[in-house]
């Protein structure tokens, strides 16, 4: 029997929800705001108010470095997660890109593989689906249909884009078609071999299997269908007692069939107030804050400052070597030199790591 594991009260009705692939963060759309929580402790890290109408969809890149948001204001925004985490609570960080080429509300988002170099697809009621490049923000492809598009997804190899329409049709768009055109029109009468027909109401969600052979679709006709992509035949229909709003294919966890299998990390209740604004006497309020870059939230010594202090202590020790025990002072100096060497190595490793990430060439 299904059991309620956890009930978390949110600041308002949640219109969309997603978790980062690394499992560290959860995003929720509440009205026109995006709420960002840290899973391990339930802290509310940020509230982003850059949309003008209610959120409709959220998704992360596969490396969890960026996330995308779409809303009824016809805008799709690309956010850098680390910029959001570093921003002060009093300021709202700017999105990396603002995509404003849709003329009606955004209905769905999908992100391919490649982290910040990935491609993303957006669907809209304006009867178009668009393909974008996250790194540059450029529009790569716009496909016009004869119905509003409610769902969009890409296969693993990104050869095809699948779009679900308001009339129940599912369209397969070839991304490698020749000649290359930025603006295309999908003509259903000429593309009979690229349309999945079976749903009787709008398609709300789409998901492709990892091997690219199966397509899962959910619809307001209260059914979920499993399709063979090659033949466009419906392999299985699963009936529900109401409109299907979400369905997707995932790899089965190793302990899924173990009746005693439980999550290794308990899920805490998510806070309704920004982290740092709650009263400090709340249980579990203590924690460690990590900020990237040169900014320091609290006064403290950097590695370079510690190294300078060690050097000063080392030199003062050397000056006193005529007074104390020579052997003891030599041991102390060698320990200080080793500590300085370790700190320098840590500094160099951090610098090399940051340089590799920043200057990593595009594949």
């Amino acid at each position: 029997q299904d059991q309620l594991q956890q009930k978390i009260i949110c600041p308002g009705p949640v219109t969309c929800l997603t978790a980062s692939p690394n499992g560290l963060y959860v995003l929720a759309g509440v009205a026109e705001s995006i709420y960002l929580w840290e899973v391990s402790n339930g802290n509310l890290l940020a509230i982003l108010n850059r949309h003008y109408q209610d959120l409709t969809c959220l998704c992360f890149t596969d490396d969890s470095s960026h996330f995308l948001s779409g809303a009824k204001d016809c805008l799709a925004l690309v956010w850098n997660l680390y910029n959001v985490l570093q921003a002060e609570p009093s300021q709202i960080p700017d999105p990396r890109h603002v995509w404003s080429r849709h003329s009606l509300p955004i209905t769905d988002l999908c992100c391919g593989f490649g982290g910040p170099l990935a491609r993303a697809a957006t669907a809209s009621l304006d009867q178009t689906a668009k393909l974008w490049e996250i790194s540059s923000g450029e529009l790569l492809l716009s496909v016009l249909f004869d119905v509003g598009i409610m769902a969009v997804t890409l296969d693993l190899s990104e050869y095809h884009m699948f779009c679900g329409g308001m009339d129940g049709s599912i369209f397969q768009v070839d991304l490698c078609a020749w000649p290359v055109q930025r603006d295309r029109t999908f003509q259903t009468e000429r593309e009979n071999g690229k349309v999945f027909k079976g749903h009787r109401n709008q398609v709300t969600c789409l998901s492709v299997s990892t091997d690219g052979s199966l397509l899962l679709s959910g619809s307001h006709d209260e059914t979920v269908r499993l399709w063979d992509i090659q033949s466009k035949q419906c392999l299985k229909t699963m009936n529900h007692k109401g409109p299907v709003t979400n369905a997707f294919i995932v790899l089965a966890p190793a302990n899924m069939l173990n009746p005693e299998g439980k999550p290794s990390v308990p899920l805490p209740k998510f806070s309704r107030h920004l982290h740092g604004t709650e009263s400090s006497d709340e249980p579990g309020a203590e924690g460690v804050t990590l900020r990237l870059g040169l900014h320091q939230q609290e006064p403290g010594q950097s590695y370079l400052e510690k190294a300078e202090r060690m050097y000063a202590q080392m030199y003062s020790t050397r000056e006193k070597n005529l007074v104390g025990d020579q052997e003891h002072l030599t041991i102390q100096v060698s320990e200080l030199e080793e500590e300085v060497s370790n700190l320098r190595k840590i500094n160099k490793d951090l610098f090399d790591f940051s340089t590799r990430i920043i200057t990593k060439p595009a594949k």
Side-chain angles (χ1 to χ4, degrees):
Q1 294 181 355
D2 293 336
Q3 294 182 353
L4 180 64
Q5 299 292 331
Q6 177 91 311
K7 183 177 181 180
I8 299 174
I9 306 299
C10 292
V14 176
T15 56
C16 48
L17 183 73
T18 190
S20 61
N22 60 17
L24 299 180
Y25 304 99
V26 165
L27 285 173
V30 178
E32 68 277 0
S33 301
I34 303 171
Y35 286 73
L36 173 64
W37 283 282
E38 189 173 5
V39 174
S40 61
N41 50 31
N43 287 336
L44 178 59
L45 302 181
I47 302 176
L48 307 175
N49 297 293
R50 287 301 298 265
H51 283 285
Y52 304 101
Q53 294 186 33
D54 290 356
L55 270 291
T56 56
C57 43
L58 291 163
C59 73
F60 271 95
T61 56
D62 61 317
D63 66 343
S64 304
S65 66
H66 292 71
F67 61 89
L68 286 71
S69 61
K72 292 181 179 179
D73 58 6
C74 315
L75 297 178
L77 307 182
V78 180
W79 303 85
N80 186 315
L81 177 63
Y82 306 121
N83 287 345
V84 172
L85 293 177
Q86 288 186 89
E88 295 292 341
S90 58
Q91 65 179 128
I92 300 175
D94 292 326
R96 180 173 179 180
H97 300 300
V98 177
W99 294 335
S100 57
R101 300 288 289 273
H102 284 290
S103 56
L104 285 175
I106 307 290
T107 54
D108 197 15
L109 290 166
C110 172
C111 192
F113 285 84
L117 303 178
R119 297 185 294 180
T122 58
S124 172
L125 293 178
D126 63 7
Q127 302 185 358
T128 67
K130 300 183 188 294
L131 191 67
W132 310 80
E133 187 176 56
I134 291 180
S135 58
S136 64
E138 291 291 324
L139 175 63
L140 303 178
L141 175 67
S142 179
V143 184
L144 176 64
F145 300 89
D146 51 9
V147 295
I149 302 301
M150 302 300 298
V152 65
T153 192
L154 300 166
D155 64 0
L156 198 62
S157 59
E158 298 184 21
Y159 281 159
H160 305 291
M161 179 169 64
F162 300 92
C163 306
M166 293 193 69
D167 63 351
S169 300
I170 302 171
F171 310 102
Q172 176 181 312
V173 179
D174 294 334
L175 300 181
C176 300
W178 188 264
V180 177
Q181 296 175 305
R182 178 167 292 186
D183 295 290
R184 288 160 55 181
T185 300
F186 191 96
Q187 298 178 341
T188 306
E189 61 276 5
R190 296 184 184 178
E191 307 276 5
N192 278 331
K194 298 178 181 176
V195 180
F196 301 79
K197 295 182 178 179
H199 284 297
R200 301 181 304 277
N201 205 332
Q202 69 183 44
V203 177
T204 56
C205 50
L206 294 169
S207 181
V208 181
S209 62
T210 53
D211 62 358
S213 64
L214 300 175
L215 175 69
L216 186 74
S217 63
S219 170
H220 276 189
D221 65 6
E222 304 183 0
T223 66
V224 171
R225 291 177 180 262
L226 191 65
W227 308 83
D228 178 71
I229 292 178
Q230 187 69 29
S231 65
K232 307 294 183 293
Q233 296 297 311
C234 180
L235 304 178
K236 187 175 183 180
T237 301
M238 292 157 275
N239 295 306
H240 291 263
K241 296 180 181 179
V244 178
T245 58
N246 202 6
F248 50 90
I249 299 173
V250 294
L251 296 175
N255 65 342
M256 183 179 72
L257 301 180
N258 181 7
E260 297 181 358
K262 294 181 180 179
S264 56
V265 179
L267 183 66
K269 296 208 171 203
F270 291 167
S271 172
R272 300 178 65 182
H273 304 282
L274 274 175
H275 179 55
T277 61
E278 314 96 320
S279 62
S280 58
D281 54 354
E282 288 187 9
E286 67 280 354
V288 177
T289 300
L290 173 64
R291 289 187 175 270
L292 306 178
L294 297 177
H295 176 84
Q296 290 182 324
Q297 187 178 22
E298 296 179 359
Q301 288 185 319
S302 67
Y303 283 116
L304 290 177
E305 290 171 338
K306 288 182 179 179
E308 290 177 358
R309 180 177 59 82
M310 287 288 191
Y311 264 119
Q313 185 176 353
M314 183 175 65
Y315 289 139
S316 66
T317 303
R318 282 177 174 172
E319 291 174 357
K320 299 174 182 177
N321 61 1
L322 297 176
V323 180
D325 182 9
Q326 181 69 32
E327 184 178 354
H328 175 73
L329 289 175
T330 303
I331 294 174
Q332 189 174 4
V333 168
S334 65
E335 290 176 349
L336 291 172
E337 288 177 336
E338 183 180 358
E339 180 68 21
V340 170
S341 175
N342 289 336
L343 292 173
R344 280 183 166 177
K345 184 178 182 303
I346 291 173
N347 244 348
K348 184 178 182 302
D349 291 343
L350 286 172
F351 178 81
D352 291 343
F353 175 78
S354 302
T355 305
R356 285 199 304 271
I357 294 299
I358 294 172
T359 62
K360 187 176 182 182
K363 294 183 180 179

